[in-house]
Amino acid sequence: MSRAVVGERIPVYDVVGVGFGPSNLALAIALTEHNAKAGADGTVTAHFLERQERFGWHRGMLIDTATMQVSFLKDLVTMRNPTSGFSFLAYLQSRGRLVDFINHKNLFPLRIEFHDYFEWAAAKVDDLVSYGTEVLSVRPVFDGDEVAFFDVQARSGGELIELRARNLVMGTGLRPNLPEGVTAGERVWHNSRLLHRVEGLKEADPRRFVVVGAGQSAAEVAALLHDQFPRAEVCAVFSRYGYSPADDSPFVNRIFDPEAVDHFYGAAEPVKQRLMTYHGATNYSAVDIELIDELYRRTYREKVQGVERLKLFNVSRPVEVTETATGVRTTIESLATGVRTVLEADHVIYSTGYRPADPTPLLGELGARCGRDEEGRLRIERDYRIVTEPALRGGIYLQGGTEHTHGITSSLLSNTAVRVGEILRSIVERRDADAERPEYAVSGTGSV
């Protein structure tokens, strides 16, 4: 492969974003607001590339009764700019529901409503994003021995395109997590596919589901299947004694405050580990108390009626899941007694969370220029920039995958608005500091 070098007079973006979920959407908004005030000399040029054909955020779990677990005030902008025209309140006003929402007296909107808010905001900045575009690789562009730019190669339809960037912002999102040894198939799948699968299953008249997991998604899946399939048995399997409520008390919720990121980032590794242990219940394997109460009411009611369709296998784990010609044979082992129960199910759904997508495969040879800690994790600066060799002039920023350095808000909505403001400020300040470099004479915006 030929070595890309500075010399061609082609347009260069200040920022190319990989992925366009809520985090990079929030960054696109921050850029738009910055440019509206900065004037021509201070404009930050940017473009985002998104594999999906349109904006979408966990569409497979947009259950119509599910609510957000974060306040509407922690939207895409308010924590950064309370006067923004991209706020959730501005969205409500545009939809004619502001008064209705206020009368609702609720901090936590329906998940489908918040998704509609995201789509509304994304439509207002759609000139900054190319949908249906899959990023294939990133190549360094050399100026002598230094990397001056990044060339982002992508495929849109059958066409290969290339964008040149001074900085990359990797917003590659989360990937469904399945336990080791579990392979997804027609009858074994992750809850991220829930709504895509449910309608197609109704004609098959399934008689038993197994739902693995103890968190909010697992509880929501169990409740929905119990509702949608009144002739089916729903077996919930988890290693805890029962569903545990999310710890959302006011003092504990300070773990999501912007200043908590500073505290976490500066703490020693043992302190970071303790904080994650102490406060993991604010987000992981935790369920809203209202849903816990509702599931308990259902199990009690069924005991009274003598027909138990919602069955909880607590302190248990699946030890063998085998697809057969007619279903899935699932062996459940009690962690307390060792007793095993074999269930013949139609489907097994794993609600076992997500893991951050690893950005380094896309970075290619640039990955070897990224710093790693003693555990092999990427080293990240406070401004969410990967620590790289000094020869890289530009920054590679991460939106997600920074929990080990920045804490529990790494991939959550809670701190998104503040985080993108910090990333944008870092990009602008570094650009201003390097403004005398000769390659900045080669500037402008490109078209895709």
Side-chain angles (χ1 to χ4, degrees):
M1 182 181 294
S2 61
R3 193 173 193 245
V5 297
V6 171
E8 305 165 272
R9 294 192 60 82
I10 64 173
V12 180
Y13 290 98
D14 291 314
V15 177
V16 168
V18 180
F20 200 66
S23 291
N24 269 351
L25 168 57
L27 179 59
I29 293 170
L31 285 161
T32 299
E33 294 183 335
H34 168 85
N35 290 344
K37 297 178 179 180
D41 292 340
T43 295
V44 177
T45 59
H47 202 79
F48 297 84
L49 305 174
E50 169 57 46
R51 180 170 51 187
Q52 296 184 96
E53 295 296 329
R54 59 191 176 110
F55 183 89
W57 178 65
H58 297 309
R59 287 185 177 275
M61 283 296 292
L62 291 179
I63 299 170
D64 57 9
T65 58
T67 58
M68 297 294 294
Q69 291 181 285
V70 62
S71 165
F72 72 88
L73 293 171
K74 294 185 175 181
D75 57 18
L76 297 167
V77 295
T78 298
M79 294 285 285
R80 174 183 57 80
N81 176 15
T83 65
S84 173
F86 288 86
S87 70
F88 181 72
L89 292 179
Y91 153 80
L92 288 173
Q93 178 71 11
S94 75
R95 292 288 197 254
R97 291 201 307 271
L98 180 58
V99 173
D100 296 323
F101 184 84
I102 292 171
N103 290 338
H104 194 32
K105 299 180 181 180
N106 196 340
L107 287 172
F108 307 102
L110 289 168
R111 199 177 297 162
I112 55 173
E113 182 176 34
F114 221 65
H115 190 277
D116 188 57
Y117 158 62
F118 286 157
E119 290 184 293
W120 169 85
K124 291 162 72 72
V125 293
D126 62 359
D127 58 315
L128 297 181
V129 58
S130 293
Y131 292 105
T133 303
E134 181 181 9
V135 174
L136 303 175
S137 64
V138 177
R139 291 196 304 160
V141 180
F142 288 92
D143 180 9
D145 292 329
E146 290 190 322
V147 177
F149 304 119
F150 308 107
D151 276 354
V152 181
Q153 299 172 321
R155 179 185 295 114
S156 180
E159 180 185 359
L160 293 177
I161 61 174
E162 189 167 84
L163 279 69
R164 181 160 289 184
R166 295 190 177 99
N167 298 279
L168 298 175
V169 181
M170 310 295 289
T172 48
L174 302 171
R175 299 292 181 268
N177 180 56
L178 291 174
E180 186 176 354
V182 175
T183 302
E186 283 302 307
R187 294 184 177 273
V188 178
W189 35 280
H190 189 269
N191 70 271
S192 58
R193 301 176 61 195
L194 179 68
L195 297 186
H196 305 316
R197 297 296 303 271
V198 163
E199 286 302 318
L201 295 178
K202 288 183 177 178
E203 292 185 5
D205 194 23
R207 296 307 176 93
R208 179 181 284 150
F209 296 97
V210 173
V211 180
V212 181
Q216 179 74 18
S217 293
E220 289 177 353
V221 170
L224 182 135
L225 295 175
H226 190 256
D227 284 335
Q228 296 285 320
F229 299 92
R231 285 158 49 89
E233 186 177 278
V234 179
C235 300
V237 181
F238 45 84
S239 58
R240 298 188 175 205
Y241 206 84
Y243 292 115
S244 299
D247 186 352
D248 61 353
S249 56
F251 288 117
V252 168
N253 267 351
R254 288 180 172 175
I255 195 69
F256 300 111
D257 290 355
E259 67 177 15
V261 177
D262 291 321
H263 298 157
F264 190 93
Y265 188 85
E269 189 61 31
V271 176
K272 291 178 178 177
Q273 292 176 3
R274 282 199 295 271
L275 285 172
M276 292 301 296
T277 300
Y278 292 154
H279 300 300
T282 58
N283 183 63
Y284 300 114
S285 296
V287 183
D288 287 341
I289 189 64
E290 293 83 1
L291 182 53
I292 294 175
D293 290 342
E294 171 59 24
L295 291 175
Y296 191 87
R297 279 193 292 270
R298 295 186 189 192
T299 59
Y300 185 80
R301 182 175 65 243
E302 290 182 349
K303 284 185 178 181
V304 172
Q305 295 171 337
V307 179
E308 297 182 44
R309 288 197 304 113
L310 181 57
K311 296 186 176 181
L312 273 57
F313 288 79
N314 62 348
V315 199
S316 299
R317 61 174 181 171
V319 292
E320 187 175 349
V321 177
T322 305
E323 290 199 47
T324 66
T326 58
V328 188
R329 181 174 296 111
T330 308
T331 303
I332 309 299
E333 180 182 73
S334 167
L335 298 173
T337 65
V339 172
R340 295 189 169 191
T341 303
V342 178
L343 300 174
E344 298 290 344
D346 294 274
H347 295 270
V348 177
I349 301 98
Y350 280 88
S351 295
T352 44
Y354 295 81
R355 63 182 186 279
D358 183 1
T360 51
L362 286 179
L363 295 177
E365 64 181 276
L366 287 165
R369 296 172 178 262
C370 297
R372 301 272 178 174
D373 64 17
E374 56 276 7
E375 296 185 30
R377 302 171 300 189
L378 287 169
R379 293 175 58 207
I380 314 294
E381 300 281 8
R382 175 59 184 85
D383 59 3
Y384 300 93
R385 183 168 41 90
I386 298 175
V387 175
T388 59
E389 294 178 355
L392 269 70
R393 295 177 186 169
I396 304 173
Y397 295 84
L398 296 185
Q399 297 247 51
T402 60
E403 189 175 87
H404 61 292
T405 53
H406 290 68
I408 201 167
T409 63
S410 171
S411 58
L412 305 180
L413 293 175
S414 296
N415 204 42
T416 296
V418 174
R419 179 174 65 248
V420 300
E422 293 172 342
I423 290 173
L424 177 57
R425 182 168 61 250
S426 172
I427 290 170
V428 171
E429 289 177 351
R430 284 166 56 82
R431 183 186 67 174
D432 291 347
D434 287 347
E436 299 305 315
R437 286 186 179 272
E439 72 271 15
Y440 274 80
V442 186
S443 60
T445 59
S447 58
V448 179

